[in-house]
Amino acid sequence: MRRWIWVLLGVIIIGGGLYAWASTARTSGGARQAAVQQRMYIPVERSTIVRTLSYSGSLEPAQDETLTAGSAGWIKEVRVAKGDRVKAGDVIARLDDTEAQLELMRARREYEQAKMESPAIVVEERRLALLSAERRLSGTAVTAPFDGVVVDLYVREGDSVTSQAQIARLVDVSSYKVTLTVDQNDLVNLAVGQDVFVRPDAFRGMVLAGRIEEIGFLPTSTDGTTTYPVVIRIDASQAEEAGFAGLRPGMSVEAEIVIASAENVLVVPIASIVEAGRQQLVTRVGPDGTEEVVEIETGLSDGLYVEVRSGLSEGDLIVANNYLLFEQIGAQGIPGGRGGPGGAFAVPGVR
């Protein structure tokens, strides 16, 4: 029994030693890995910075109209089916035009007769009656006011209808609009014509270019928040050209309104910059590996990268994740000896 006790104790001691060694190895390895991450170097490059405001919305047809009969009668002819594409001016349906044709014939005859034997005032009266009869006859044809798709058809041949009866619903799918509900604080950054990137949720990778078409004048207030409607217009042909089919009204989208941009400028990751009072600092790495802290002047930021207006040159090597400098400044205060953006100075503990 005593022998087994000694064996058990030996196993425990050896196992504890192995565990302690493994824990130490993991700890030191993690520290080394953190150090490597802190000293990761990247070159300063040129790129484009875009600052946007993000809002959610849904696709709506740019034009959506329900066509009505315009006059009472019965449906003589229906020329389309649900889902058909039509052009502006195409006949959707015709009402019985017998009475309208008779009225037109009478009006034309009376007008011609008046021109030969009646005073001017009567001639004018008959002319206006003729125009009225022509309008009534043309009103017996329900036509498409724009190019689109017949998404609903409400009548069949032989149906009796009133002047306000719905005949068909026509939707223009060549372009869409998105109405965003924009916070009043963001309105100052918006203007008609601004570029917008629209990303439909249903199509990963699809980005549609749009523009602000209208900024509403009247607000809506909900729970103390004041918002304004902002209408974005999108050309639907972009989706087909990019190889995406099936764009539909009602699809949810994310819209990014471009409020500022800077093209072909020097940029650095936001994680490489350390704020020290009013100074923006980065760590630049020399050809021999020597690190020096320099002050830079920054510009536009998109939340990931920052424009560098002065203090660095294209191709300069910098520390990408400047956590060590952040720690040094936090512990020892803002370093002195600066000479403006681009001036180098030493931070104790930074090689």
Side-chain angles (χ1 to χ4, degrees), residues 14 26 40 54 71 77 110 149 160 176 188 223 230 240 336 339:
I14 294 172
R26 283 196 300 270
M40 184 174 68
S54 297
S71 60
E77 180 183 19
E110 290 174 356
V149 175
S160 178
Y176 286 94
V188 67
D223 298 328
V230 175
E240 297 178 3

Side-chain angles (χ1 to χ4, degrees), residues 53-57 180-187 190 253-257:
L53 293 174
S54 297
Y55 282 93
S56 299
L180 306 177
T181 303
V182 175
D183 188 276
Q184 62 178 346
N185 296 320
D186 289 335
L187 212 62
L190 306 187
V253 299
E254 292 295 322
E256 294 183 6
I257 306 171

